[in-house]
Amino acid sequence: MKTEAEAIAPSNIAIVKYWGKRNRELNLPLNPSLSISLNEVWVRSRVIFDESLRDDEVWINNLKLEHREVKDYAGRVLEVFRSMVGRRIFAKVESMTNFPSSAGLASSAAGIASITLASNEALGLNLNTKELSKIARIGSGSACRSLFGGFVKWNAGVLDSGEDSFCEEIVPSNHWPELVDVIAIFSEEKKKVSSRTGMESSALSSSLMKCRLDFIQRTFEEVVDAIRKKDQERFFNLTMRHSNSMHAVILDSWPPFFYLNDKSLQVMRWVYEYGKAAYTFDAGPNPHILVLENNASDVVNFLQDLGAKKVIVSKISDGPRVLK
Ligand code: DP6
């Protein structure tokens, strides 16, 4: 017997970032995070549950993933679905990205979110998005935020079960339609230290981690308020400070590793001096620059002059959807 479905999910860029876990198996975070779902960066996945398969298989852009990678990410999601239906039924997953999957543009987040949504559809489970966000979280933490559109909050939660660690859309995509994310790809090199390994190392070794958690506690609601009031200046400043705060912890981790490179630093300097935009970096050197649409061309020109291989201007996404 075979049953299949297809779904598309947006990537997301974290404003308040997830970096550090209180539980590795369930990807329970040390802090709440907040992201924007991106319309122009997505992953589309077809999930085929097939009784004749003996293991899960995942293909991304027609390349088969190694067994280990399947087990550690998508396999965790598929395992939750198997336990829900009470059947050892494996799946073949075919994912396509519309951007280089190793460029640090959160392909795993969009990929895992699309697989979660397609699996729910294929198995006819009708789970709501909040429940689906908890399942996606187990595959990869940041994926839980890609189950929603607009501005998304991932509640850290306090329970060991993870039942209170889910996402919700706090502000819809049409609230701030002028806001865009300009993403530049300078490097398509696969990162040497994955987010998963990096955040574990930071939690164990960085003495700045505690300061960062305090900073998040003090400023989280202010970020939300700046978004609600469309207070550009406050939103841009807080966005840059939250990015810096995560990368400071990373630089403080031991043994050393870091994600920013000399281009990233040049971007940081230029954006701050420009004054009408904000930079933010996830675990990679490629910048995301938040700016109002009528100023986006200044940013695009700057990035092209700096030698960006590709520049994407993305609006805010409405969220993922099942493809019929
Ligand atoms: C820097 O979600 O990739 O992008 O839960 O171990 O799969 P795992 O980690 P992952 O980490 C993302 C880290 C980040 C910040 C963020 O997106 O919030």
Side-chain angles (χ1 to χ4, degrees), residues 73-82 112 115-116 119 135-140:
Y73 292 87
R76 289 181 172 197
V77 166
L78 297 166
E79 201 54 45
V80 174
F81 281 106
R82 275 192 284 275
I112 296 292
I115 292 168
T116 306
S119 300
I135 300 176
R137 186 201 73 226
I138 295 171
S140 179

Side-chain angles (χ1 to χ4, degrees), residues 224-297:
V224 176
D225 187 64
I227 293 169
R228 291 222 162 95
K229 296 192 173 122
K230 300 211 240 177
D231 181 341
Q232 276 185 64
E233 199 183 328
R234 238 173 4 125
F235 175 69
F236 288 158
N237 285 334
L238 284 164
T239 297
M240 293 187 276
R241 293 196 66 182
H242 275 280
S243 175
N244 289 359
S245 155
M246 182 185 80
H247 289 280
V249 164
I250 289 168
L251 199 54
D252 185 47
S253 304
W254 199 262
F257 64 96
F258 36 85
Y259 298 109
L260 305 178
N261 62 20
D262 52 345
K263 291 272 193 236
S264 320
L265 299 183
Q266 277 175 274
V267 169
M268 289 162 72
R269 206 168 295 131
W270 184 88
V271 171
Y272 178 70
E273 271 158 25
Y274 176 65
K276 292 180 286 186
Y279 59 77
T280 186
F281 297 82
D282 277 348
N286 295 317
H288 286 251
I289 301 176
L290 294 153
V291 63
L292 299 190
E293 203 171 11
N294 57 357
N295 293 324
S297 59

Side-chain angles (χ1 to χ4, degrees), residues 12-14 16-19 21 27 33-34 73 106 108-109 137 139-143 145 154 191 195-197 199 246 250 281-283:
N12 70 77
I13 178 65
V16 177
K17 294 170 191 294
Y18 152 53
W19 197 257
K21 305 181 193 196
N27 288 332
S33 57
L34 190 154
Y73 292 87
S108 61
R137 186 201 73 226
S140 179
S142 54
R145 297 185 310 238
W154 172 11
K191 53 188 163 215
S195 317
R196 188 162 289 181
T197 308
M199 70 173 82
M246 182 185 80
I250 289 168
F281 297 82
D282 277 348

